[in-house]
Amino acid sequence: MADVLDQRSKELRRMIVRALAAGKRGHVGAAFSVVEILRALYDDILKYDAKNPRWEDRDRCILSKGHGCLALYALLADKGFFPEAELEKFCASDGILGGHPEYKKVPGVEASTGSLGHGMSIGAGFALSAKLKEQAHRVFVILGDGECSEGTIWEAALFAAKHQLANLTILVDYNKQQTYGAIAEVQGLEPLIDKWEAFGFAVGEVDGHDIDQLRDVLSMVPFEPRKPNAIICHTVKGRGVSYTEGNLGWHHKARVSEAEAASLLAALDTE
Amino acid sequence: MRKTSLDMVQEMALRDPRILFIGSDLGPDTLKELKVQRPKQFLMEGVSEANIVSMAAGMAMEGWIPYINTIATFLTRRCFEQIVLDLGLHKTKVRLIASGGGLVYAPLGPTHLAIDDIAILRTVPNMTILAPCDADEMRRLMLLTPDVDGPVYIRLGKGGDPVVSRAEPACEIGKAILLREPGDALIVTTGVCLQVALAAAAELGKAGISAGVLHCHTLKPLDADAILKHAAPVVVTIEEHILIGGLGGAVAEILLGAGRAPRFARIGIPDAFADQYGSQASLMARYSITSENLAATVTRLLNQTHK
């Protein structure tokens, strides 16, 4: 794992903190965990047109762990799907960016998520549609590791394998922590790679904060011509600031003070 | 009614490539013609209703019009959050064809009795709820379903129900049909209880009581204008559904909300799980969802009015 984040990863986190400060709340740990996964997708992999978010031939990307939406908002703002000033209205009554992303409100958001266990099935529907219509675009769905406890994930996995949805790629943000504590203690997932393989997926495994690794593995999908893909991304919850990393206190933070936000920004500048 | 509904999906899918049938784990002969002629428009996806509903939402967002069919209880109770969020919130054009609405599966017990489906789905914004009274009306309503914006729930009766609907007036989603002019009383009904209502009205007519019959094949949006227009000094509702959250409560809300207070009664299923098997008819009788009880209720309320 890269010890020090590069300037782009730090700047994306600064955008997250600015939105967090504006809304005075947010899932910091979940957002910091998924930044590089989203960055690799939006910088190097996905086809899209920020000025025409519903462009028919775009790749579809669903953040099924919707509570990580601050990271998605930072990427979408950075790419011009909406003005960066929207981040300053995070969770505001006149804003479009809520604590979970909404399909009908936010340009670039492909599905309203927030209740876990929905995004993969919706993405499987997108992927089957593309296959039946012989369209070339692809579908990427980012799952939380805690989310993998939901039964619908595995219903969708059966479905994706049956229909040989090689155009569907699941990325698991595997930071190994959930709200209450360690995944291994709350509801263990291991052996996670074996599970996805047993469900008929071709599986990759990367450091989920290493842009080069992410870009390389995402460039290789489909791993096999007739199998859906799963990529286990090993991440650190709260990655980017020493005192948020692995700190369950930052999974979700309400009443974020100006001093706390300033401290996060300072840490991103100096660490 | 179920056969008509599925035949209609097949008929419409054969001429409209957007229409797609999705079953869970249905009989081996289900829509064979569609499967052979349009294999891309026929899916059978196993006992995984929650995934089916969300996946269908994804397909609807890509321009398809999926019609999902399975047993009503599994399509409503099990998938409620998928229905609320992926169909309601996303306002997707997914159609839920619910087999065994009401007490149809009486021999199979409480797990299969869809007696709360209307109450559950009435709470979902953007949802349209249909409960046709017979196969002919099912056909007329099914033809309208592809054009409805947002999700549609279609409640199926047992099948072989007597045909009591008429082709005229033209069938329109959201518009109740007056099958008998009110005088002393109005009976408001939905689904196959229309048959019960018509029988009761005929009996009452013999006794010199003019009871109108208003049939609400659409439970959401409910036709408040027709209910208020035809409300008589006595209003009685009858439905094959629990009294909590069903047609009767909705009619009461409309009447009271408009400042109307007729003599009023609801006939339906009490707040309890079924304690018997038997048949749809025997459970209907156990809950007094009968023409005899309906006629007696109208008469009792009329007598109260006349005091």
Side-chain angles (χ1 to χ4, degrees):
Chain A
M1 185 176 299
D3 290 336
V4 180
L5 298 173
D6 67 13
Q7 281 308 312
R8 177 155 174 71
S9 280
K10 287 192 174 193
E11 181 52 29
L12 289 166
R13 283 177 172 78
R14 285 188 198 98
M15 293 169 76
I16 290 171
V17 174
R18 287 197 287 270
L20 176 81
K24 297 185 173 55
R25 64 184 307 121
H27 286 88
V28 182
F32 278 9
S33 175
V34 79
V35 169
E36 280 69 39
I37 294 171
L38 287 165
R39 174 185 160 185
L41 283 165
Y42 281 89
D43 277 1
D44 299 309
I45 302 298
L46 299 176
K47 284 188 303 173
Y48 56 87
D49 178 355
K51 298 303 169 201
N52 183 14
R54 297 273 178 249
W55 173 43
E56 177 82 9
D57 296 333
R58 73 193 185 282
D59 290 326
R60 277 71 164 160
C61 178
I62 298 175
L63 182 66
S64 191
K65 48 166 278 183
H67 57 290
C69 60
L70 280 169
L72 179 62
Y73 296 158
L75 259 304
L76 293 176
D78 179 70
K79 296 299 181 185
F81 281 87
F82 49 78
E84 204 172 318
E86 279 296 333
L87 296 174
E88 305 295 330
K89 292 193 283 182
F90 177 59
C91 290
S93 56
D94 62 344
I96 60 169
L97 307 178
H100 296 99
E102 284 200 62
Y103 166 70
K104 288 189 181 290
K105 284 189 178 168
V106 188
V109 167
E110 298 283 1
S112 298
T113 55
S115 176
L116 299 173
H118 290 245
M120 185 169 163
S121 294
I122 294 173
F126 289 169
L128 179 62
S129 174
K131 184 175 179 180
L132 293 176
K133 292 180 176 179
E134 299 175 17
Q135 294 171 320
H137 63 258
R138 300 174 300 170
V139 181
F140 298 84
V141 179
I142 301 161
L143 302 181
D145 45 10
E147 184 178 11
C148 291
S149 295
E150 291 281 6
T152 47
I153 299 299
W154 305 101
E155 289 183 18
L158 291 171
F159 175 90
K162 168 190 163 181
H163 290 284
Q164 303 178 350
L165 299 179
N167 57 353
L168 175 68
T169 298
I170 305 303
L171 297 108
V172 181
D173 179 4
Y174 197 13
N175 58 43
K176 300 164 193 73
Q177 285 185 305
Q178 57 192 104
T179 310
Y180 182 78
I183 294 279
E185 292 169 14
V186 178
Q187 184 68 281
L189 295 170
E190 290 298 331
L192 188 56
I193 290 173
D194 293 351
K195 283 187 174 70
W196 286 101
E197 285 179 344
F199 273 77
F201 281 62
V203 184
E205 183 179 23
V206 293
D207 174 345
H209 295 297
D210 186 317
I211 288 296
D212 291 334
Q213 282 191 36
L214 282 162
R215 188 189 300 125
D216 288 349
V217 75
L218 284 164
S219 301
M220 289 163 57
V221 295
F223 299 132
E224 295 182 36
R226 299 166 76 86
K227 283 186 175 180
N229 316 282
I231 302 172
I232 309 302
C233 305
H234 294 284
T235 54
V236 174
K237 195 154 196 165
R239 176 83 169 104
V241 170
S242 55
Y243 62 83
T244 60
E245 288 188 8
N247 182 349
L248 290 171
W250 283 91
H251 168 77
H252 177 259
K253 203 80 167 171
R255 295 181 295 279
V256 174
S257 68
E258 287 182 21
E260 284 175 314
S263 170
L264 287 169
L265 289 172
L268 285 165
D269 286 340
T270 56
E271 288 184 2
Chain B
M1 201 185 288
R2 175 171 182 265
K3 183 175 185 316
T4 304
S5 175
L6 297 195
D7 285 350
M8 288 300 300
V9 175
Q10 179 162 275
E11 184 182 318
M12 295 190 297
L14 288 173
R15 60 173 186 259
D16 185 344
R18 300 172 304 164
I19 291 176
L20 169 81
F21 178 79
I22 311 174
S24 57
D25 187 23
L26 308 179
D29 292 336
T30 305
L31 300 194
K32 273 196 298 194
E33 188 184 346
L34 181 64
K35 185 181 180 184
V36 172
Q37 291 194 30
R38 301 276 196 281
K40 289 182 178 180
Q41 292 166 255
F42 178 94
L43 296 173
M44 192 64 70
E45 296 306 328
V47 191
S48 57
E49 296 86 357
N51 175 63
I52 286 174
V53 169
S54 299
M55 180 277 293
M59 295 199 74
M61 288 155 77
E62 297 288 352
W64 299 79
I65 307 175
Y67 284 73
I68 302 171
N69 176 225
T70 191
I71 290 173
T73 51
F74 310 147
L75 202 44
T76 51
R77 295 173 186 162
R78 182 185 298 267
C79 310
F80 184 58
E81 194 188 58
Q82 282 73 24
I83 290 173
V84 173
L85 297 180
D86 303 334
L87 307 192
L89 179 62
H90 287 79
K91 206 174 181 185
T92 45
K93 291 180 74 168
V94 174
R95 284 74 180 98
L96 306 171
I97 302 176
S99 298
L103 300 165
V104 168
Y105 290 132
L108 305 182
T111 56
H112 283 58
L113 295 181
I115 56 177
D116 50 11
D117 52 342
I118 292 162
I120 289 170
L121 295 182
R122 276 182 66 210
T123 64
V124 182
N126 298 324
M127 177 66 69
T128 296
I129 304 174
L130 304 178
C133 62
D134 59 33
D136 284 11
E137 186 171 77
M138 173 63 79
R139 181 175 175 81
R140 289 192 287 275
L141 285 169
M142 283 296 290
L143 284 169
L144 303 175
T145 55
D147 294 327
V148 179
D149 200 11
V152 181
Y153 178 77
I154 303 156
R155 192 191 216 214
L156 299 184
K158 186 179 184 180
D161 306 286
V163 172
V164 293
S165 67
R166 302 187 303 242
E168 298 294 333
C171 195
E172 191 178 338
I173 287 172
K175 296 292 180 198
I177 296 174
L178 189 72
L179 279 104
R180 201 175 160 113
E181 286 288 337
D184 305 310
L186 177 70
I187 298 166
V188 187
T189 184
T190 184
V192 295
C193 279
L194 175 58
Q195 284 86 328
V196 181
L198 288 171
E203 282 304 309
L204 288 163
K206 289 179 195 167
I209 297 169
S210 61
V213 175
L214 185 67
H215 167 52
C216 302
H217 53 62
T218 307
L219 288 149
K220 188 173 183 177
L222 192 57
D223 190 350
D225 291 345
I227 290 164
L228 292 172
K229 179 181 175 187
H230 300 298
V234 163
V235 174
V236 179
T237 63
I238 183 163
E239 60 195 303
E240 190 184 357
H241 186 273
I242 54 170
L243 289 170
I244 296 172
L247 173 71
V251 170
E253 289 161 14
I254 288 167
L255 290 170
L256 278 177
R260 306 275 289 273
R263 298 277 171 157
F264 182 79
R266 298 173 299 156
I267 295 173
I269 300 170
D271 182 22
F273 291 106
D275 59 354
Q276 289 186 352
Y277 302 105
S279 65
Q280 180 186 24
S282 71
L283 278 184
M284 296 268 270
R286 179 162 181 76
Y287 297 135
S288 300
I289 306 171
T290 59
S291 59
E292 294 81 4
N293 181 44
L294 177 54
T297 302
V298 168
T299 305
R300 176 173 55 81
L301 290 178
L302 271 172
N303 289 338
Q304 286 179 11
T305 309
H306 291 152
K307 274 179 188 169

